[in-house]
Structures are given as C-alpha cells and as structure tokens.
Amino acid sequence: MTAPDWQSLPDRLRARGLRWTPQRRVLVDVLSRTRGHVTGSQLLERCRAIEPATIPSTVYRTLDVLEELGMVRHGHAADGREEFHVLPEADHGHLHCGACGGSWDLSANEADGLVRSLRAGRGFVVDLSHVTIVGRCGACCGEPGTEGW
Amino acid sequence: MTAPDWQSLPDRLRARGLRWTPQRRVLVDVLSRTRGHVTGSQLLERCRAIEPATIPSTVYRTLDVLEELGMVRHGHAADGREEFHVLPEADHGHLHCGACGGSWDLSANEADGLVRSLRAGRGFVVDLSHVTIVGRCGACCGEPGTEGW
DNA sequence: CCCACTGTTGCAACTGGTTGCAACAGGATG
DNA sequence: CATCCTGTTGCAACCAGTTGCAACAGTGGG
Ligand SMILES: [Mn+2]
Ligand SMILES: [Mn+2]
Ligand SMILES: [Zn+2]
Ligand SMILES: [Zn+2]
C-alpha cells in the first residue's frame, strides 16, 4: 500500500519482460492525474481526450496489468461495475446508499469487527478494497425511497 | 421474508393493475423450481428450454417486477454480476473466495457486528442480501493463489 | 361478449466490457 | 545497427444486459 511510483514503472515492466508502449504511456498519464474512484469507461474517455485512437480492449487489458503491479486496485460499485482506485489511498471499502445514490468510504477501522470475526470464525481473509456495503444512509432512512438496491 | 406464494401471484399482480402473461408464467415456472442463486442469463436459458422464443428483455423486466413484489431478491456475485435468490431463504449475505472460487452464505448473525456498528455510528441500514465479501478462504489462505479478486 | 385502457412484449439499437487472432513493435542481444 | 523473440495492439465478433418505441394483448367495465 505504498505510494505509486509512476516514474519507475517503465523499468518495473521491463524487469518482468513486459513493455512500455505509447498506449500505456497515455493511460498512465491519465491515472497519474487521477484521485479517488474511476470506472474503466471514464478512463477510456480520458485517454481518448489525449489520443482519440485509443482502443477499449487495450485500456482494459492495461488496467489488468497495472493491477497486477499494484498501481491500481479495483472494487465494485453498488451496481456491480468495476471501479478503480488509484493508489496511494489507504485500503478501504465503500458504503453506498441505494436511495440517494450517496457513497462513503468505509475505513479499515470500521470494518475491523467483521474482518476479525471472519478471520477468527472461518479463517477467511477479507479483501477490504472489494467490500461495498449497500443499504440506506441515515438521511434517507425514514423517507419513502427508491428501491434501487 | 415469508415463503413465496406462487399460487397467489397472478392475483397479486392483478391487484396492482399488473398482468399475468404467458411469458411471466414461464419464468415463474422456472423460478418455482429453483433453489439458491441464479444469474439472469441462467434463468433466460431455462426459460428457453421451455419456450425457445423467450426474449431477454422480457425476462429481465419480469425479474424487476418480481423483485418489487418480493418474490426474488438480487445480490451481486464477486464479479459484480447480478445473482437472484429465490425466497424463502433467510436474509443473508455472501462470502466469496477469489482464489478457489468458493462461495458461502453469510448469516445475519455473523454480519451482526458490522450491521450494528454502521447503524449506531452512521445511521446506515445495511441491505444484507446485497453484501458480498470477497477475500480468501481458510483453505486458500496460505497457498499461492490466483489474484482474481 | 365486446371495448377501451394501459401494461407488456418484441425488436432493434446500444452500452460496457471481453476474447481470439493475425499483424505489429518493444527491446535485448550480438 | 540489424535480428529475433515474444508481448502488445487493433480489430471484429461476441456477451450480458438495458432502453425506446410501436404493436399487441390482459383485464375490468359496460
Ligand atoms: Mn444491485
Ligand atoms: Mn472484482
Ligand atoms: Zn441516502
Ligand atoms: Zn478458497
């Protein structure tokens, strides 16, 4: 969970027998200026702003590579679509309100109870960055709401 | 969370101004013989086994209607795809091992700590049927594994 | 039994994303 | 600088699922 080192990325790719290509340069450029959550299609869009010839499959395949290298991490939004986190955020999960669409981070601290009890009771190790809890936020709780869960 | 009453479904639809159609009959027939989790495309497949002319959008739209009536409930598998639960199972979440692909139910009991603390700390009410915790199961935990999270 | 109202269907276009494959191009080597 | 190896790209087909819309068909009322 250390800060992403974009400068050394080309060398780390080559060290693994992988390559530093113009297409990867564009995506890394976009990512290095991105904070928080982004979907694949948003990243594609931003790459196309720089290089209109960008191909979807290339972007998605490169994201896979970058995830293996630990440069990004994906989770799933409430609708199940992949959402990428650019490091170096602390590992965290998400809360999502199905009524108002709001989204909040779930700190390792808050998830600690669950994480501990699953580890103790089952030996199951939780991937916190993949945890998305859907429900209804405090503000929406009393109100008649969209059943978009 | 009571047992699904497929017999009275036609009347309950009509009572809401909705209709009991041949297409819905096929899907309900399939659902009434289904236990556990199913994806939409699996249901489509099974409907087509009975009525080959079955149209995808009709199935998915009908599932939405049935979910509003409480006959099914959807969650999201580890890859984010929708997965339907046919009642009358107790409300529960899921654990999914990213290494071996295994899947286990997460009882309300086990999730209680998290549910309570989110309610207390934030007023957030968790939709347990939508909770899918991804990670690594006890068996896979030591072993070198697929990073399919 | 027929009518009219309106919910539902079929269809076609579209979205986001994935896959197999042949052509291409990093980059290590000499 | 030329060569070769193999990772990567572009493309086209495909997959699961969604949407807008015109035609269709349950259903309750007369
Ligand atoms: Mn959902
Ligand atoms: Mn995932
Ligand atoms: Zn809310
Ligand atoms: Zn496992």
Side-chain angles (χ1 to χ4, degrees), chain A residues 47-68:
Chain A
C47 285
R48 283 186 159 155
I50 297 174
E51 172 51 69
T54 305
I55 299 299
S57 53
T58 299
V59 170
Y60 291 109
R61 287 189 279 220
T62 300
L63 285 167
D64 290 345
V65 172
L66 295 178
E67 185 152 20
E68 260 159 59

Side-chain angles (χ1 to χ4, degrees), chain A residues 110 122 127 130 134 149, chain B residues 110 122 127 130 134 136 149:
Chain A
E110 280 177 292
R122 309 210 186 211
D127 171 18
H130 239 81
V134 182
W149 293 7
Chain B
E110 280 178 292
R122 310 210 187 210
D127 171 18
H130 241 81
V134 182
R136 197 167 287 215
W149 294 5

Side-chain angles (χ1 to χ4, degrees), chain A residues 74 76 82 130, chain B residues 78 149:
Chain A
H74 84 265
H76 295 264
E82 281 189 347
H130 239 81
Chain B
W149 294 5

Side-chain angles (χ1 to χ4, degrees), chain B residues 2-58:
Chain B
T2 118
D5 181 1
W6 299 112
Q7 294 74 40
S8 72
L9 180 59
D11 286 335
R12 280 182 293 137
L13 284 167
R14 287 188 275 254
R16 293 193 173 207
L18 306 177
R19 294 174 193 170
W20 182 234
T21 67
Q23 294 85 345
R24 292 183 176 176
R25 225 162 281 163
V26 173
L27 178 55
V28 165
D29 182 30
V30 167
L31 287 171
S32 67
R33 287 183 281 105
T34 298
R35 295 284 129 197
H37 317 128
V38 236
T39 64
S41 68
Q42 288 172 327
L43 290 169
L44 172 59
E45 213 174 290
R46 296 181 196 179
C47 284
R48 282 186 158 155
I50 298 174
E51 172 52 69
T54 304
I55 299 299
S57 53
T58 299

Side-chain angles (χ1 to χ4, degrees), chain A residues 16-141:
Chain A
R16 292 193 173 207
L18 306 178
R19 295 177 192 166
W20 182 234
T21 67
Q23 295 85 345
R24 292 183 175 176
R25 225 163 281 161
V26 173
L27 178 56
V28 165
D29 182 30
V30 167
L31 286 171
S32 68
R33 288 183 280 103
T34 297
R35 294 285 130 197
H37 317 127
V38 237
T39 63
S41 69
Q42 288 174 327
L43 290 169
L44 172 58
E45 213 174 290
R46 296 181 197 180
C47 285
R48 283 186 159 155
I50 297 174
E51 172 51 69
T54 305
I55 299 299
S57 53
T58 299
V59 170
Y60 291 109
R61 287 189 279 220
T62 300
L63 285 167
D64 290 345
V65 172
L66 295 178
E67 185 152 20
E68 260 159 59
L69 294 190
M71 306 304 288
V72 299
R73 195 109 169 73
H74 84 265
H76 295 264
D79 61 359
R81 290 175 54 185
E82 281 189 347
E83 216 174 42
F84 292 88
H85 302 209
V86 182
L87 303 181
E89 303 171 13
D91 203 21
H92 64 278
H94 295 93
L95 293 179
H96 191 94
C97 174
C100 68
S103 184
W104 299 266
D105 282 1
L106 177 71
S107 68
N109 211 21
E110 280 177 292
D112 192 54
L114 183 72
V115 170
R116 266 174 202 286
S117 76
L118 289 178
R119 178 136 44 195
R122 309 210 186 211
F124 189 97
V125 177
V126 173
D127 171 18
L128 183 57
S129 74
H130 239 81
V131 171
T132 297
I133 304 286
V134 182
R136 197 168 286 216
C137 75
C140 292
C141 233

